[in-house]
Amino acid sequence: MCGIIGYVGPRVAHAVVVEGLRRMEYRGYDSAGVAVITAEGISLRKKAGKIANLDALLATDPIPASGTGIGHTRWATHGGPTDVNAHPHVSSNGRVALIHNGIIENFAVLRAELQAQGVEFSSETDTEVAAQLLGEGVAAGADLADAMRSVCRRLEGAFTLVAIDSTQPGRLVAARRNSPLVVGVGEGENFVASDVAAFIEFTRQAIELGQDQMVDVTADSITVTDFDGAPAASHPFEVTWDLSAAEKGGYDWFMRKEIFEQPKAVADTLLGRFTPDGALTLDELRIPEAEIRGVDKIIIVACGTAYYAGLVAKYAIEHWARIACEVEIASEFRYRDPIITGSTLVVTISQSGETADTLMAIRHAREQKAKVIAICNTNGATIPRESDAVIYTHAGPEIGVASTKGFLTQVAACYLLGLYLAQVRGSMYDDEIRHVMTELAATPPLIQQVLDSLDQITDLAARFVDTKSVLFLGRHVGYPIALEGALKLKELAYLHAEGFPAGELKHGPIALVEEGVPIFIVVPPQGRDQLHDKVVSNIQEVRARGALTIVLAEEGDEEVVPYADVLFRLPKVSTLLQPLVATVPLQMFACELATLKGYDVDQPRNLAKSVTVE
Ligand code: F6R
C-alpha cells in the first residue's frame, strides 16, 4: 500500500522517481504524484488514477529537471482518491513537500491546532498535518532534520515520511514508524523507498531502517538517527535478486510469470536444509531446542492467502510434531484475548513482512511472552525483525497483487517447520523425516508437470466468462486449497466464489447448487481410503443436483472418472503435500478467467499488495 521514493543525485530526479513508482505499482494505489526542488522552489505534479495519468500530465506540463525529488503512489484512506488528496503535499508556506505511507491517528487534533494558528489546509488527508507541521518547523528556523524529528515525536500511528525543503536542494529526510523504509546506497547518489524494487535498477546495496528512526540523505551521505537525534544503528544488506526478477520477462502478467516460477521458488525454499550428517536444519531459527521441546501449543496467525497456508500447516504440524495447533486470522487475534503463555509458540506467515494486522498480532503475542517465529519472503521486513526467529521463503519478488508463489513457498516452509519440530521433539524417527524431505524435494518437477499440463485451462475459463458463482470443495488439506482457489477467483475475476469443506456442504451450502453451477473438487490421493471415498461421494452429491464438476484428482484415480465433467490430473504425492500441486490449476484458472474478462490481473481493483493499515 502506497509506494514511496526519494532521490538525490546527478540523474533527472523526476524520471528516477516515476520509474521507481512504476516498479512499486504492484503495492496498490489510486493516485500518484512527484515533487522536485527547482530554482523557483518546489515543483509539483500529481494526479488521481494510474501512473499513466501522471505521465500524461508530465507530458503536457513538464516538470523542470532537478537532482532532488520525491514521488508517491497513494492508496486512499483519509479523503478520496482525488488530484488534491494525492501526495506529495506542500506546506502552505511553500517550504516543504512531503509524502507519507500509513495512518496518522492523531491527525484531527493536530489539524485543529494548526488551523487555530491560521494554517490553511488544501486536502482532506491525514498526511497534510505532517507537511504543515514540518513547513512551520523549518520556517521557524529549525534545521530540516531537527524539524522532521520533532514532527515524528508529535505523530501517533503508522508512518513513513519523506520530505524535501525548497531551500535545500541536494538533501532529503525520511523517517519511519510501523511502516517500511529502505535506503538505496548508490555511488554519488542515494535513494529512499518503501521497497527495494524502486531502486534495484541502480543499486543492490540497501539499508533497512529500524523502528522510530530517521535518515538524512544527500548524494554522498546517509545519517541515521533516532527521533531524538541520537545516532542509531541500521541494518545494511545486499539485495539478492536483480532487475530481471522484477520484470515480466515476456509474460503478459507478473502473476502468470510468478505461477510459472513456482517450481524454482519451492526448490529454493527447500535448498540447504540438511546438515552434513543428514539432520534437518533451519539456520535462522535461533530458538533453543529446549524451548521448542517445552512448547505446548502453536498458534499460527496470518491474513488472506497466508492464512490458508497456515491452515495447511496445522494438518502437517499436528500430524508430524503432535503439538496442538490453532490457526487464527491476524486481524481477529488480539481482540479475542487469546490464551498465550511462555510455552505458546506463535508462528506468523507473511509474504511481504509488512502486513499491519499480522504485525500487531506479533506484538500482542510477544507482550504475552510467547516466542514468535515468522515465515516471510522479504528480507529485513518489519515482521521478521520483530520476531524471535524467521524462516525465509525464497520466492523472489512477488509483484502480482494476488499471491501465488508466495503461497506455495509458505506451504513448503510450513512443512519444514513441522518436520523440524518433529525432529527436535522426537515425534518422528529420523528416517521418517528424511522420507518426507525426499518427497518434498521431489515436488518442484511435479509442480512443473502440472504447469505443463494446463492446456485445457483457457478453454475451460472461456466457458465461464458469464458465470456468476463458482464453488470449491475439499477435505483435509484440500479444504484450504478450496479456500485459496475461491479467493483467487474473487480477487481476480470479481465473481462470487466460495470454498467449503466437502463434508459441510450438506449442512447448508448445498442449497446453492443448481443446474450448471461449476464446482471444483480437490480429491485427496487414493490410499487414505475414507478420505478419498468420502470426497468421491461428495462429487456424486453435487452432480446429482446439476452441478458441473471440475475434478482435480491424482493420476490413476479411476473412481472419479464417471463423475467428472472436467478432469485435471495431478501427479501422485502424499496427502499432506498435495497443496503444492493441486493449488496450481486453480491459480491458473483465475488468471485465465480474469484475462478473458479484460481485468487487470496484476492489480485487481481495490486491492493492495502490502496491506500496511489495520
Ligand atoms: C491474496 C493475497 C492476500 C495476502 C494477505 C497477506 O492473493 O495476496 O490475501 O495473502 O494480504 O499478505 P502477506 O502475506 O504479505 O502478509
Side-chain angles (χ1 to χ4, degrees):
M1 257 170 197
C2 300
I4 280 189
I5 178 166
Y7 175 76
V8 190
R11 299 176 204 269
V12 177
H14 72 264
V16 173
V17 161
V18 172
E19 199 45 40
L21 293 180
R22 234 185 286 286
R23 294 201 192 288
M24 290 187 290
E25 273 194 296
Y26 72 91
R27 296 173 70 90
Y29 70 102
D30 38 40
S31 61
V34 54
V36 298
I37 302 177
T38 70
E40 282 74 48
I42 303 279
S43 185
L44 172 75
R45 303 287 183 277
K46 50 189 193 169
K47 203 74 194 147
K50 293 292 180 193
I51 291 175
N53 297 358
L54 177 64
D55 284 336
L57 177 63
L58 288 168
T60 53
D61 186 9
I63 203 165
S66 163
T68 312
I70 57 177
H72 188 269
T73 43
R74 170 175 187 252
W75 193 81
T77 56
H78 297 62
T82 61
D83 293 355
V84 170
N85 289 335
H87 299 207
H89 289 282
V90 176
S91 57
S92 50
N93 60 15
R95 270 291 293 271
V96 300
L98 176 142
I99 51 182
H100 164 226
N101 176 18
I103 290 179
I104 298 170
E105 282 166 6
N106 59 337
F107 87 98
V109 177
L110 296 171
R111 187 177 171 114
E113 187 185 301
L114 285 160
Q115 280 171 327
Q117 292 164 16
V119 174
E120 282 183 22
F121 280 74
S122 52
S123 79
E124 302 158 279
T125 64
D126 52 340
T127 304
E128 198 182 340
V129 296
Q132 298 292 9
L133 281 171
L134 190 65
E136 295 286 298
V138 290
D143 170 68
L144 178 61
D146 289 335
M148 182 64 135
R149 281 187 283 263
S150 123
V151 170
C152 291
R153 289 195 299 270
R154 298 209 59 197
L155 302 184
E156 290 166 16
F159 53 84
T160 300
L161 302 172
V162 185
I164 49 177
D165 178 342
S166 62
T167 68
Q168 299 197 43
R171 183 183 184 195
L172 62 79
V173 289
R176 74 167 288 261
R177 169 182 291 162
N178 295 334
S179 184
L181 178 64
V182 277
V183 181
V185 186
E187 283 183 16
E189 62 182 349
N190 287 309
F191 309 77
V192 294
S194 321
D195 173 327
V196 294
F199 54 71
I200 190 69
E201 188 179 350
F202 305 108
T203 179
R204 287 162 72 168
Q205 304 305 318
I207 298 174
E208 178 74 34
L209 244 60
Q211 179 73 333
D212 284 7
Q213 289 186 352
M214 203 213 82
V215 64
D216 193 343
V217 179
T218 68
D220 305 305
S221 68
I222 295 167
T223 311
V224 181
T225 62
D226 64 19
F227 286 172
D228 292 320
S234 53
H235 169 58
F237 65 101
E238 187 174 345
V239 184
T240 52
W241 44 274
D242 58 16
L243 183 60
S244 65
E247 291 187 334
K248 282 190 203 155
Y251 288 92
D252 54 347
W253 304 113
F254 279 111
M255 181 184 174
R256 195 187 302 276
K257 172 176 170 250
E258 288 158 7
I259 290 173
F260 277 93
E261 284 171 348
Q262 292 183 113
K264 180 172 186 317
V266 170
D268 288 350
T269 300
L270 299 175
L271 212 64
R273 300 301 188 178
F274 277 110
T275 62
D277 58 356
L280 179 62
T281 171
L282 296 178
D283 286 344
E284 317 93 315
L285 221 59
R286 298 178 302 266
I287 301 178
E289 292 195 354
E291 263 184 65
I292 288 185
R293 276 190 282 273
V295 168
D296 61 11
K297 180 173 73 173
I298 292 177
I299 309 180
I300 300 178
V301 281
C303 305
T305 286
Y307 167 75
Y308 300 150
L311 290 180
V312 174
K314 174 184 166 72
Y315 290 91
I317 291 174
E318 290 192 338
H319 183 66
W320 291 332
R322 308 306 296 155
I323 312 173
C325 186
E326 297 170 12
V327 193
E328 177 101 25
I329 289 190
S331 55
E332 289 295 318
F333 180 66
R334 59 185 168 140
Y335 303 107
R336 74 167 166 106
D337 193 12
I339 298 168
I340 300 173
T341 68
S343 307
T344 308
L345 177 65
V346 170
V347 177
T348 61
I349 307 175
S350 175
Q351 188 285 127
S352 63
E354 299 294 348
T355 303
D357 291 317
T358 311
L359 182 60
M360 294 308 157
I362 291 182
R363 290 191 180 155
H364 182 76
R366 294 194 77 196
E367 274 162 22
Q368 314 283 312
K369 308 281 179 266
K371 282 272 185 279
V372 176
I373 296 178
I375 292 176
C376 183
N377 193 43
T378 312
N379 211 298
T382 311
I383 287 174
R385 252 205 341 265
E386 294 205 12
S387 301
D388 296 289
V390 57
I391 302 173
Y392 280 112
T393 50
H394 296 287
E398 191 178 63
I399 311 268
V401 165
S403 187
T404 53
K405 61 177 181 173
F407 176 71
L408 246 57
T409 54
Q410 285 163 352
V411 169
C414 288
Y415 293 144
L416 289 173
L417 177 63
L419 292 172
Y420 181 76
L421 294 172
Q423 175 177 284
V424 173
R425 296 164 68 93
S427 55
M428 281 169 89
Y429 291 112
D430 289 350
D431 61 332
E432 288 177 303
I433 294 175
R434 234 187 307 270
H435 175 78
V436 182
M437 276 302 290
T438 306
E439 204 199 345
L440 204 47
T443 54
L446 302 181
I447 299 168
Q448 186 61 52
Q449 189 181 316
V450 178
L451 287 166
D452 294 341
S453 68
L454 292 179
D455 304 344
Q456 44 172 342
I457 280 273
T458 316
D459 289 345
L460 183 68
R463 286 168 68 179
F464 298 119
V465 168
D466 298 319
T467 294
K468 296 281 172 279
S469 175
V470 181
L471 304 182
F472 294 77
L473 302 182
R475 273 179 193 255
H476 192 264
V477 288
Y479 168 46
I481 302 173
L483 293 172
E484 174 61 1
L487 180 62
K488 289 282 99 76
L489 215 48
K490 282 180 236 189
E491 287 178 293
L492 300 171
Y494 314 151
L495 56 80
H496 170 250
E498 270 193 84
F500 298 104
E504 186 63 11
L505 205 66
K506 58 190 170 300
H507 299 289
I510 201 163
L512 293 171
V513 179
E514 58 185 5
E515 197 61 37
V517 64
I519 305 191
F520 282 83
I521 305 119
V522 183
V523 183
Q526 292 172 292
R528 295 188 63 168
D529 284 337
Q530 276 213 341
L531 196 60
H532 175 269
D533 295 352
K534 291 263 159 57
V535 175
V536 176
S537 304
N538 297 137
I539 307 175
Q540 295 174 57
E541 282 161 18
V542 294
R543 200 156 185 269
R545 288 162 178 82
L548 191 139
T549 57
I550 305 158
V551 174
L552 283 69
E554 70 175 0
E555 289 153 359
D557 182 348
E558 297 307 317
E559 280 179 63
V560 297
V561 173
Y563 317 113
D565 293 308
V566 179
L567 180 58
F568 283 100
R569 285 299 188 187
L570 301 174
K572 278 185 183 292
V573 289
S574 59
T575 304
L576 275 171
L577 303 192
Q578 202 193 30
L580 292 177
V581 291
T583 311
V584 178
L586 306 184
Q587 297 169 335
M588 204 61 164
F589 177 74
C591 180
E592 291 295 357
L593 188 54
T595 305
L596 290 170
K597 290 176 98 168
Y599 297 149
D600 186 335
V601 167
D602 284 335
Q603 292 169 47
R605 68 183 180 204
N606 304 336
L607 294 182
K609 181 73 183 159
S610 194
V611 186
T612 49
V613 295
E614 279 182 273

